[in-house]
């Protein structure tokens, strides 16, 4: 149901520029106003959110440790430097692997129950599918985004854009060059989507807001592919428009056809939606206190900005007053011997 | 425990397919057995005197009642408390925003594995809170509530929190597998703080908390009784070893303050571990003392809120100062060590007295720089160092009747990274050591399902369900290698793993690591032992006179 809603949404989104551009002739609106506004929302929203995170305190160091810590004897007990970092550099590498290789996800296992011979068996097996789907999807997306830089830069730098294009296009199928990342992106989204649809447990936890971005990205990818391989849009004209956007000399050349407006509109929706959604996991992963802190709080002092100095232990003096008499009876030493003298009830 | 199904039946009842109704529409079972008893009002009244404003009105109520007697302004209290904590904890704020519901954590929780209840999937457990965050604090959640899985705080939501945040042992296994390190344990801690504000709590947590504050330990053992128990143990040690050990209590002027969870003083089999410590220290002639005032290492405050956690932890430094100890040695305990390792110095570091020094073993001279800030050393680090320097004469064959495996407690494993030291110690004191399957040990270890204040009989079925992953791994090594003892380094484990093993792997006993050290420790040249620390005959070392066999028929 949630998936259907999302699909419907995206479908409606496609219709907007389709009619908007052709019927209403709002080319400047769709070519300039919408993308610019979306971009502004994206930047401001993104920064706002990250600043919000940054303004909450990190009172304690709470890294999840995934291996042996640095022991008193580093030879006897080898530290797992990546999963249990203790210095800034080690933590940095932990984060690099986390961000670029999805290391934690790589560890994923799947549980299953079996009837053993005479007793039940719980089995765990490595399950790398999600990792594979996710990494295909994210890298393809990333490469495609970088490739698009060619539309905004003049001259086009070889690194990384030209180089990427070369590697990406190495599998040349027909003309124009077929990009691996295009395939990867579509495959990645479709796989992630199917996982959400088919796996009952994942389906159970999925909202519209989980399906929507997937459908949206899929439609962006498909519209992009359509433009490039089928509609064969006028790249020169598009570059004129995009360069206009970044240099604030807005032009919308006549040669640009409607498929481009659809593509740009969908990308604009994605940009504007981004800061308000779970897509913010992208900047968020860098800030996660269970991953980006070294595990050193027994060795080094850290400050909790809101630590309350007024919270103190129950005073020993009161403890001794309360239990002094029986303590004295069993011979436990007392700070104040008077506490050990039985309270004379007649005096009270 | 009569109404608890047999292990096989329970196993068959697990179904990983979610129900047809959406999770927000699926009602919660409030029948007895699904929750722990709320705190006695006097315990709350006492804590409210100590730390005012954190507990709500003390009252008598039961989760099975329709009316939980929430204070009239409960909603504002919870929502405002939530807002406040979003500022105070980046973890909370971030984890509210970035979960992508990928489900990588879903089947990592022992409660889910053993129950199949989808709300025990860490992702959904956290969604119980996230949905409220979105509904109360985010624009998208407010306008698109249905599509973003948002809702506002309502009574049934809070009640659901009570059930499911007291069905999380804060073991952090889910966090290990999450691509963003989202730690459901952290959210559980926050949810519990919020529930405490309006008087939703459990007695099994609040009574220990107030006991720890008054008497120094969670069982409420008063100082003289504490001394009596220790004296008993000294007698028992003499019975086993012939050696009368020192057991200094509340004595000033010693170098080391030793603090262990009070579970080790009170109950089987923790007391054997405690006897192990005493024997070891006496053997080393260690300059140490214990304290009745700081007689609890386990920090029950960490199951309630930060304030109590800090307050209870503060006792350790306060007592080190009063007694003039230079550093603290800590016993085998799980939550105690998560608090010591990750929180102690940040909370209470500035209350250390000037005489404290980085722990240095008086026997080997090793300086433990890893504990330079807290001045607090884990006993397995201490013992491992002794063994490495050949300072202990050990006869591991005394443990030959034991086939041993090791249960990593969640907190030392995932909150600290203490994995190899206890194994090193174990491998030197027993000859038969076997690991459980890799997906169930070390950082991937499974919880005993009774941590974080859930170690109570009211919820035995839930605990046994949650104990399935650990129990099943244990059963595996029991069959493969004849394992008959599971060692651990946590006092809660020593209590909770017993019913767990009886249910899922009958025949396996539970012991602390230092119990086995004590068994193997050769006190003097040619020492003969006929009993282990439990005063059971040591197979292969029986006293000849004890070896009485009934006369056969012919002889008679
Ligand atoms: S693994 Fe992390 S991101 Fe994925 S559902 Fe669980 S908490 Fe969310
Ligand atoms: S912290 Fe442990 S008990 Fe809690 S949800 Fe995660 S895996 Fe389950």
């Amino acid at each position: 149901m949630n998936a259907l809603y999302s699909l419907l949404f995206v479908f409606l989104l496609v219709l907007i520029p389709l009619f908007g551009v052709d019927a209403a002739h709002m080319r400047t609106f769709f070519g300039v106003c919408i993308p610019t506004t979306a971009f502004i929302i994206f930047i401001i929203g993104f920064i706002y959110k990250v600043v919000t995170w940054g303004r909450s305190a990190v009172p304690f160091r709470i890294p999840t440790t995934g291996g042996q810590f640095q022991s008193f004897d580093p030879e006897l007990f080898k530290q797992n430097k990546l999963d249990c970092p203790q210095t800034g550099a080690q933590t940095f590498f932990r984060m690099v692997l986390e961000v670029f290789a999805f290391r934690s996800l790589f560890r994923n296992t799947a549980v299953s129950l079996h009837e053993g011979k005479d007793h039940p068996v719980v089995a765990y097996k490595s399950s790398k599918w999600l990792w594979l789907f996710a990494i295909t999807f994210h890298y393809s997306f990333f490469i495609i985004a970088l490739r698009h830089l060619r539309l905004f830069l003049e001259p086009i730098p070889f690194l990384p854009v030209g180089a990427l294009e070369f590697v990406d296009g190495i599998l040349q199928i027909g003309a124009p060059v077929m990009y691996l990342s295009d395939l990867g992106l579509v495959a990645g989204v479709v796989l992630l989507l199917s996982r959400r649809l088919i796996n009952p447990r994942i389906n159970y936890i999925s909202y519209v807001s989980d399906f929507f971005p997937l459908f949206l990205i899929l439609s962006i990818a498909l519209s992009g592919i359509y433009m490039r391989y089928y509609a064969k849009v006028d790249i020169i004209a598009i570059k004129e428009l995009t360069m206009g956007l970044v240099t604030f000399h807005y032009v919308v050349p006549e040669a640009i056809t409607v498929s481009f407006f659809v593509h740009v509109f969908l990308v604009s929706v994605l940009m504007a939606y981004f800061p308000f959604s779970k897509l913010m996991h992208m900047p968020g992963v860098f800030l996660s206190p269970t991953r980006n802190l070294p595990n050193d709080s027994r060795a080094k002092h850290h400050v909790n900005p809101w630590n309350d100095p007024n919270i103190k232990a129950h005073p020993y003096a009161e403890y001794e007053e309360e239990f002094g008499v029986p303590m004295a009876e069993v011979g436990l030493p007392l700070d104040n011997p008077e506490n050990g003298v039985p309270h004379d009830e007649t005096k009270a | 425990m009569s109404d608890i199904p047999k292990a096989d039946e329970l196993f068959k009842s697990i179904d990983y397919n979610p129900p047809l109704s959406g999770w927000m529409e699926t009602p919660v079972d409030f029948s007895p057995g699904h929750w722990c008893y709320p705190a006695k009002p006097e315990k709350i009244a006492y804590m409210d005197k100590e730390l005012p404003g954190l507990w709500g009105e003390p009252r008598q109520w039961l989760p099975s009642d329709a009316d939980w007697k929430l204070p009239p302004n409960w909603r504002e209290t919870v929502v405002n408390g939530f807002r406040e904590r979003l500022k105070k904890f980046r973890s909370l704020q971030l984890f509210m925003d970035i979960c992508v519901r990928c489900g990588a954590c879903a089947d990592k929780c022992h409660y889910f594995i053993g129950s199949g209840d989808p709300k025990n999937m860490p992702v959904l457990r956290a969604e119980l809170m996230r949905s409220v965050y979105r509904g109360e604090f985010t624009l998208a959640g407010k306008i698109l509530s249905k599509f973003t899985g948002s809702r506002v705080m309502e009574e049934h939501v809070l009640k659901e929190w009570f059930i499911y945040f007291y069905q999380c042992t804060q073991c952090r296994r889910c966090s290990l597998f999450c691509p963003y390190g989202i730690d459901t344990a952290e959210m559980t801690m926050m949810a519990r703080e919020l529930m405490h504000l309006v008087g939703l709590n459990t007695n099994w947590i609040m009574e220990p908390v107030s006991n720890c504050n008054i008497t120094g330990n969670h069982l409420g053992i008063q100082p003289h009784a504490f001394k009596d128990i220790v004296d008993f143990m000294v007698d028992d040690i003499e019975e086993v070893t012939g050696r009368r050990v020192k057991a200094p209590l509340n004595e000033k002027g010693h170098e080391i303050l030793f603090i262990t969870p009070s579970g080790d003083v009170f109950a089987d089999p923790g007391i054997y571990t405690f006897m192990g410590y005493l024997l070891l220290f006496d053997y080393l002639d260690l300059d140490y003392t214990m304290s009745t005032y700081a007689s609890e290492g386990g920090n029950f405050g960490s199951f309630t809120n930060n304030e109590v956690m800090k307050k209870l932890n503060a006792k350790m430094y306060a007592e080190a100062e009063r007694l003039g100890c230079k550093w603290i040695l800590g016993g085998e305990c799980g939550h105690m060590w998560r608090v010591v390792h990750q929180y102690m110095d940040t909370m209470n570091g500035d209350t250390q007295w000037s005489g404290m020094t980085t722990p240095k073993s008086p026997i080997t001279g090793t300086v433990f720089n890893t504990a330079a800030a807290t001045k607090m050393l884990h006993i397995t680090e201490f013992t491992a160092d002794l063994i490495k320097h050949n300072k202990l004469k050990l006869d591991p064959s005394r443990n030959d009747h034991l086939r041993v495996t090791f249960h990593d407690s969640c907190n030392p494993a995932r909150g600290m990274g203490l994995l190899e030291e206890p194994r090193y110690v174990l491998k030197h004191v027993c000859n038969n050591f076997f690991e459980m399957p890799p997906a169930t040990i070390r950082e991937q270890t499974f919880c005993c399902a009774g941590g974080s204040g859930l170690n109570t009989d009211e919820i035995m079925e839930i605990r046994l369900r949650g104990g399935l992953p650990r129990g099943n791994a244990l059963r595996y090594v029991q069959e493969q290698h004849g394992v008959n003892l599971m060692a651990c380094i946590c006092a809660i484990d020593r209590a909770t793993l017993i019913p767990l093993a009886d249910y899922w792997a009958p025949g396996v006993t539970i012991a602390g690591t230092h119990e086995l050290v004590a068994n193997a420790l050769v006190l003097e040249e040619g020492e003969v032992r006929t009993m282990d620390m439990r005063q059971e005959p040591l197979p292969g070392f029986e006293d000849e006179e004890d070896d009485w066999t009934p006369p056969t028929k012919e002889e008679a």
Side-chain angles (χ1 to χ4, degrees):
Chain A
M1 203 56 199
N2 283 341
L4 273 181
Y5 277 133
S6 314
L7 186 62
L8 199 70
F9 258 163
V10 175
F11 197 65
L12 290 175
L13 289 176
V14 175
L15 292 182
I16 295 173
L18 268 186
F19 288 108
V21 176
D22 269 5
H25 298 286
M26 293 158 76
R27 298 171 61 87
T28 315
F29 182 71
F30 282 99
V32 176
C33 302
I34 293 256
T36 313
T37 318
F39 187 69
I40 292 170
I41 296 176
F42 172 72
I43 293 292
I44 293 181
F46 192 97
I47 293 174
Y48 174 79
K49 199 86 230 191
V50 173
V51 169
T52 312
W53 293 337
R55 282 169 57 179
S56 340
V58 184
F60 302 107
R61 309 232 139 183
I62 51 163
T64 312
T65 54
Q68 172 68 27
F69 69 174
Q70 188 190 44
S71 185
F72 63 93
D73 189 332
E75 309 223 313
L76 196 55
F77 306 112
K78 262 208 158 331
Q79 183 199 357
N80 183 334
K81 295 201 170 101
L82 288 175
D83 288 318
C84 197
Q86 192 134 6
T87 64
Q90 292 164 4
T91 313
F92 177 80
F93 282 112
R94 180 184 207 185
M95 287 306 290
V96 165
L97 281 176
E98 203 59 73
V99 172
F100 290 104
F102 298 8
R103 191 150 189 268
S104 294
L105 203 52
F106 193 71
R107 217 190 304 251
N108 198 17
T109 57
V111 75
S112 53
L113 304 178
H114 308 269
E115 290 288 346
K117 245 201 287 56
D118 48 6
H119 69 87
V121 174
V122 189
Y124 315 88
K125 64 171 189 324
S126 165
S127 166
K128 304 222 184 308
W129 292 115
L130 177 57
W131 176 85
L132 187 73
F133 298 172
I135 214 144
T136 311
F137 168 75
H138 283 88
Y139 270 100
S140 306
F141 201 124
F142 183 62
I143 290 167
I144 291 172
L146 280 187
R147 270 207 279 111
H148 277 68
L149 283 180
R150 72 171 302 136
L151 298 174
F152 300 92
L153 299 171
E154 189 66 56
I156 302 159
F158 180 71
L159 275 176
V161 184
L164 262 182
E165 264 173 41
F166 174 74
V167 179
D168 204 2
I170 236 158
L171 194 80
Q172 190 163 356
I173 309 172
V177 176
M178 175 78 180
Y179 287 128
L180 284 179
S181 51
D182 289 356
L183 275 182
L185 183 62
V186 173
V189 179
V190 169
L191 289 168
L192 287 172
L193 253 177
S194 347
R195 181 173 171 273
R196 251 185 217 290
L197 287 167
I198 294 164
N199 183 325
R201 249 182 280 152
I202 308 302
N203 194 285
Y204 196 67
I205 55 173
S206 299
Y207 306 127
V208 170
S209 54
D210 293 308
F211 288 109
F212 176 66
L214 284 172
F215 279 118
L216 186 60
I217 291 167
L218 182 62
S219 62
I220 290 172
L222 292 178
S223 62
I225 290 170
Y226 175 80
M227 251 163 69
R228 184 176 161 80
Y229 301 103
Y230 301 97
K232 307 246 163 87
V233 289
D234 186 340
I235 292 278
I236 313 284
I238 289 176
K239 180 140 187 179
E240 227 174 294
L241 185 147
T242 51
M243 286 309 291
L245 286 179
V246 284
T247 55
F248 308 110
H249 295 104
Y250 306 115
V251 272
V252 185
E254 273 309 311
I256 295 178
T257 49
V258 70
S259 60
F260 170 78
F261 289 102
V262 172
H263 187 67
V264 166
F265 184 73
L266 294 171
V267 172
S268 304
V269 172
L270 184 69
M271 282 198 293
Y273 175 75
F274 198 100
F276 307 99
S277 70
K278 68 169 196 175
L279 301 178
M280 285 302 282
H281 68 271
M282 189 264 250
V285 63
F286 294 92
L287 274 93
S288 181
T290 54
R291 293 284 190 273
N292 71 3
L293 295 171
N295 176 31
D296 64 354
S297 39
R298 200 155 54 110
K300 268 196 211 125
H301 183 67
H302 300 287
V303 177
N304 169 0
W306 47 263
N307 196 20
D308 183 352
N310 297 317
I311 298 176
K312 295 207 169 70
H314 178 64
Y316 174 80
E318 278 177 31
Y319 172 85
E320 201 180 273
E321 258 170 52
E322 192 171 353
F323 299 112
V325 175
M327 281 170 84
E329 270 167 25
V330 294
L332 285 169
L334 296 179
D335 277 2
N336 177 1
E338 267 172 39
N339 286 330
V341 181
H343 192 69
D344 192 345
E345 297 201 330
T346 52
K347 255 198 284 181
Chain B
M1 274 182 37
S2 54
D3 49 351
I4 289 177
K6 288 216 180 59
D8 293 0
E9 291 163 30
L10 187 149
F11 183 82
K12 286 200 192 88
S13 74
I14 305 170
D15 179 5
Y16 289 160
N17 287 312
L20 293 174
S21 53
W23 69 262
M24 281 196 206
E25 286 82 48
T26 308
V28 181
D29 190 348
F30 290 105
S31 55
H34 289 84
W35 35 264
C36 311
Y37 296 126
K40 295 176 192 138
E42 67 264 26
K43 304 292 165 201
I44 299 298
Y46 171 75
M47 283 316 293
D48 195 49
K49 205 160 60 38
E50 294 288 310
L51 287 167
L54 298 170
W55 313 102
E57 204 43 45
R59 62 181 185 274
Q60 205 91 49
W61 64 286
L62 275 182
S64 51
D65 297 342
D67 181 8
W68 290 17
K69 301 186 189 153
L70 290 167
N73 61 343
W74 72 268
R75 199 179 166 275
E76 293 82 81
T77 309
V78 172
V79 173
N80 291 339
F82 200 158
R83 190 178 292 116
E84 185 190 326
R85 279 162 187 77
L86 290 168
K87 288 236 164 51
K88 286 169 91 178
F89 295 92
R90 185 181 300 169
S91 50
L92 181 66
Q93 173 71 59
L94 195 74
F95 297 163
M96 288 292 126
D97 284 322
I98 65 171
C99 171
V100 296
R101 288 173 292 281
C102 68
C105 60
D107 57 355
K108 305 305 180 283
C109 177
H110 48 284
Y111 286 119
F112 176 73
I113 294 176
S115 72
D117 182 344
K119 284 178 195 163
N120 274 328
M121 299 193 282
V123 46
L124 211 44
R125 195 189 310 285
E127 283 293 315
L128 302 181
M129 212 172 170
R130 267 188 220 115
S131 56
V132 175
Y133 164 77
R134 287 190 291 261
E136 297 279 354
F137 306 122
T138 71
L139 188 66
K142 277 183 183 145
I143 48 183
L144 296 169
S145 64
K146 186 134 201 304
F147 297 144
T148 55
S150 318
R151 55 185 182 174
V152 289
M153 198 34 154
E154 281 178 75
E155 199 167 322
H156 75 270
V157 174
L158 189 68
K159 289 182 172 180
E160 193 181 35
W161 279 22
F162 180 80
I163 296 294
Y164 287 99
F165 289 115
Y166 283 103
Q167 248 179 77
C168 165
T169 42
Q170 308 180 349
C171 77
R172 309 178 101 204
R173 191 169 192 269
C174 46
S175 165
L176 181 73
F177 293 90
C178 172
Y180 319 114
I182 293 178
D183 184 3
T184 307
E186 186 76 356
M187 282 178 265
T188 298
M189 290 165 104
M190 297 304 132
R192 287 188 182 185
E193 288 201 0
L194 295 176
M195 288 191 287
H196 276 292
L197 293 177
V198 292
L200 301 188
N201 46 45
T202 72
N203 198 57
W204 213 89
I205 293 174
M206 289 314 296
E207 188 159 339
V209 160
S210 87
N211 284 343
C212 287
N213 202 53
I214 306 171
T215 61
N217 58 68
H218 87 268
L219 296 154
I221 310 170
Q222 299 190 356
H224 52 292
F226 195 93
K227 176 156 194 327
D228 284 348
I229 301 173
V230 172
D231 287 344
F232 266 122
M233 287 197 264
V234 170
D235 290 343
D236 282 355
I237 293 172
E238 193 174 11
E239 185 79 29
V240 174
T241 66
R243 185 175 181 125
R244 184 120 195 121
V245 300
K246 288 195 302 289
L249 273 168
N250 295 3
E251 288 178 9
K252 290 192 178 176
H254 293 289
E255 182 185 357
I256 302 165
L257 172 63
F258 177 65
I259 299 179
T260 196
S262 64
D264 284 351
V265 188
F266 173 72
D268 252 2
I271 51 168
Y272 308 121
T273 312
F274 196 93
M275 286 157 66
Y277 307 139
L278 292 181
L279 190 64
L280 175 70
F281 299 158
D282 196 78
Y283 172 88
L284 300 170
D285 200 15
L286 196 69
D287 182 19
Y288 84 107
T289 185
M290 297 175 286
S291 157
T292 59
Y293 163 77
S295 50
E296 178 65 82
N299 193 318
F300 285 74
S302 67
F303 311 150
T304 57
N305 53 41
N306 269 278
E307 287 80 0
V308 183
M309 170 162 60
K310 175 171 176 174
K311 188 171 173 61
L312 297 182
N313 178 264
K315 263 191 182 177
M316 300 191 182
Y317 285 146
E319 190 65 342
E321 176 165 10
R322 189 182 75 86
L323 298 175
C325 298
K326 289 196 192 142
W327 56 276
I328 307 174
L329 184 59
E332 301 179 7
C333 185
H335 291 94
M336 160 180 170
W337 273 99
R338 169 128 194 250
V339 173
V340 166
H341 187 82
Q342 296 196 323
Y343 298 93
M344 183 179 196
D345 186 66
T346 316
M347 292 186 302
N348 287 318
D350 50 357
T351 65
Q352 267 182 28
W353 75 290
S354 54
M356 292 194 91
T357 55
T358 300
K360 176 179 170 187
S361 171
I363 317 296
T364 65
T366 303
V367 179
F368 295 88
N369 285 317
T370 43
T374 56
K375 319 284 194 286
M376 199 157 167
L377 192 65
H378 194 283
I379 181 113
T380 60
E381 297 178 286
F382 180 72
T383 307
D385 176 59
L386 292 170
I387 293 175
K388 185 202 158 192
H389 286 92
N390 244 326
K391 296 291 179 193
L392 303 182
K393 199 162 178 342
L394 297 166
D395 178 2
S397 71
R398 286 192 194 145
N399 284 322
D400 271 356
H401 58 300
L402 302 175
R403 301 178 70 79
V404 180
T405 191
F406 180 66
H407 162 71
D408 291 271
S409 308
C410 308
N411 287 292
R414 279 185 293 267
M416 219 177 150
L418 180 83
L419 305 175
E420 294 306 330
E421 285 85 345
R423 288 182 164 77
Y424 180 81
V425 171
L426 280 172
K427 285 177 191 162
H428 279 86
V429 298
C430 64
N431 288 321
N432 310 306
F433 180 81
F434 307 93
E435 292 279 13
M436 286 180 279
T440 70
I441 53 166
R442 293 203 163 85
E443 67 275 3
Q444 300 200 37
T445 187
F446 274 107
C447 187
C448 64
S452 88
L454 304 185
N455 174 20
T456 164
D457 288 353
E458 296 108 80
I459 52 160
M460 193 46 100
E461 180 172 336
I462 287 173
R463 282 173 52 194
L464 292 173
R465 283 183 178 276
L468 169 66
R470 170 45 73 234
N472 201 259
L474 182 58
R475 180 77 182 253
Y476 177 81
V477 280
Q478 187 186 22
E479 286 197 339
Q480 294 284 313
H481 307 292
V483 161
N484 56 11
L485 184 132
M486 175 152 64
C488 61
I489 48 165
C490 173
I492 291 185
D493 284 341
R494 285 191 276 281
T496 56
L497 289 174
I498 293 174
L500 187 155
D502 285 348
Y503 190 78
W504 291 114
V508 178
T509 49
I510 310 299
T513 301
H514 277 75
E515 179 187 337
L516 304 187
V517 173
N519 278 345
L521 194 63
V522 181
L523 298 174
E524 58 212 50
E525 209 52 55
E527 187 209 5
V528 202
R529 277 220 215 146
T530 57
M531 290 183 274
D532 63 10
M533 296 313 286
R534 304 189 179 201
Q535 301 195 30
E536 279 158 16
L538 266 181
F541 296 87
E542 292 91 348
D543 205 332
E544 265 144 44
E545 286 153 45
D546 283 355
D547 196 13
W548 183 83
T549 32
T552 56
K553 248 196 199 131
E554 294 90 81
E555 280 170 350

